[in-house]
Amino acid sequence: MRYQSAIDLSTIEAVDTHVHLEMDSSGHRALPEVFFEASAKYFKTAERTPSIDRIAEVYRDHRMAAVVFTVDARTQLKHAPNSIDDLVAGCLRNNDVLLPFGSVDPWLGAEAIAEARRQAEELGVRGFKFHPTVQGFDPSDPQHYPLWEALEEIGLPLIFHTGQNGMGAGTPGGGGLKLKYSNPLLLDDVAADFPQLPIIMAHPSVPWQDEAISIATHKSNVYIDLSGWSPKYFPQALVRSANNILSAKLLFGTDYPLITPEKWLTAFAELPIKDEVRPRILKHNAVALLGLDAGADDA
């Protein structure tokens, strides 16, 4: 089994770069139950654990493609991750709309590097997802540099959670999760030291939005996805930057199932975004970054 995309860009109106698969085909959940309960309350989510086929149905109905992933946080959470093989199989079954990203636990060292290579070379994942707060690690710590070096060699984009976190929100001690690991400034070191490594900073990085804008402006290999917040709550600095210095660096993302495409797009339509910038954010920036236009007639 190796993923191959069958996405027809001429039929796709947008690319959602941030979608979670929270339960695999065996019914195993990606996180301990306490984090599901907290995040569902935080986001007021109705459908918390849709199947991969349900996700595909939602995006097919919206004429969208979607990047789908889970997070391997076995060391920090003492909880077995969802199967990446199962995720890839589901994306392959729905490869007209879904793109699989892999995930490895940075604390596993050489084992994580070997697993990342397997996911890329054997399974055909199109990138990797990391969540420093949930995985409990500092991306700028040199002990993790061998992993970034290997991933730079593999050449696929990495999505890192940044900013505020709905996981553990409102629970005593936030479930033990530490927000400091999701400060985007920690990724500035990684971006500088691995300049050929494409990095996507996920979410408006509240309370560090200015830092994120500065990094994405300064580093050509750094992007921002706009998931996890309704656009009506976007910081004004981010909206202003979208129309000029970051018009080629911002990516549409919802955080589905926590936020639905309908909710996100309805709010996005109300933002003062230039007409020529909207399609870049919704589709074209992601198409270029993810290499979806390779050999395509219509991007």
Side-chain angles (χ1 to χ4, degrees):
M1 175 188 67
R2 192 177 196 280
Y3 176 83
Q4 293 288 337
S5 173
I7 295 172
D8 181 352
L9 294 176
S10 68
T11 68
I12 295 297
E13 297 176 358
V15 179
D16 187 338
T17 59
H18 201 109
V19 173
H20 292 266
L21 178 63
E22 302 283 34
M23 186 168 66
D24 65 22
S25 61
S26 69
H28 180 268
R29 295 193 177 200
L31 300 168
E33 190 62 31
V34 63
F35 294 114
F36 277 99
E37 294 173 357
S39 62
K41 182 178 180 180
Y42 182 83
F43 285 98
K44 300 179 176 62
T45 303
E47 189 177 15
R48 187 66 182 84
T49 56
S51 69
I52 193 79
D53 295 312
R54 171 59 180 157
I55 292 172
E57 178 184 336
V58 167
Y59 283 87
R60 201 172 283 120
D61 288 347
H62 284 86
R63 295 173 59 88
M64 295 180 185
V67 169
V68 183
F69 48 70
T70 186
V71 177
D72 185 340
R74 67 185 75 185
T75 300
Q76 167 80 352
L77 300 183
K78 306 297 188 290
H79 182 87
N82 278 2
S83 166
I84 299 296
D85 297 65
D86 185 71
L87 184 151
V88 171
C91 287
L92 181 58
R93 189 166 62 246
N94 296 283
N95 66 347
D96 60 315
V97 289
L98 301 185
L99 288 156
F101 268 38
S103 184
V104 296
D105 183 345
W107 290 111
L108 298 182
E111 182 181 340
I113 293 172
E115 175 61 12
R117 292 193 186 281
R118 184 189 75 87
Q119 291 178 19
E121 296 168 7
E122 297 182 19
L123 300 183
V125 301
R126 302 298 292 265
F128 291 88
K129 170 65 190 298
F130 295 94
H131 196 309
T133 289
V134 169
Q135 292 174 309
F137 79 104
D138 176 349
S140 68
D141 191 320
Q143 70 177 305
H144 302 303
Y145 270 35
L147 176 58
W148 310 143
E149 182 179 9
L151 290 171
E152 183 179 46
E153 180 183 335
I154 290 170
L156 297 173
L158 312 185
I159 297 177
F160 287 87
H161 173 95
T162 65
Q164 174 63 293
N165 184 16
M167 299 299 134
T171 65
L177 303 184
K178 298 177 180 178
L179 299 179
K180 67 179 181 179
Y181 294 133
S182 291
N183 187 328
L185 276 177
L186 300 178
L187 296 173
D188 187 59
D189 283 14
V190 180
D193 294 336
F194 300 93
Q196 302 307 312
L197 183 63
I199 293 173
I200 302 169
M201 297 185 294
H203 317 307
S205 301
V206 175
W208 302 292
Q209 187 60 70
D210 288 343
E211 288 90 332
I213 291 171
S214 293
I215 296 165
T217 301
H218 189 249
K219 306 289 193 298
S220 66
N221 54 319
V222 177
Y223 301 78
I224 296 174
D225 87 34
L226 299 173
S227 66
W229 294 72
S230 169
K232 66 183 177 181
Y233 299 122
F234 285 179
Q236 285 304 304
L238 182 60
V239 177
R240 288 194 301 270
S241 298
N243 280 317
N244 46 72
I245 57 174
L246 292 184
S247 64
K249 306 296 286 293
L250 299 183
L251 308 168
F252 164 46
T254 59
D255 223 4
Y256 183 82
L258 299 173
I259 297 176
T260 66
E262 297 95 330
K263 179 179 179 180
W264 196 98
L265 289 170
T266 297
F268 184 66
E270 299 300 316
L271 292 183
I273 302 293
K274 296 176 182 177
D275 289 343
E276 63 269 25
V277 172
R278 288 183 183 275
R280 296 179 200 167
I281 294 174
L282 292 175
K283 177 180 177 180
H284 298 302
N285 292 342
V287 165
L289 177 59
L290 298 172
L292 298 181
D293 52 352
D297 293 326
D298 185 346

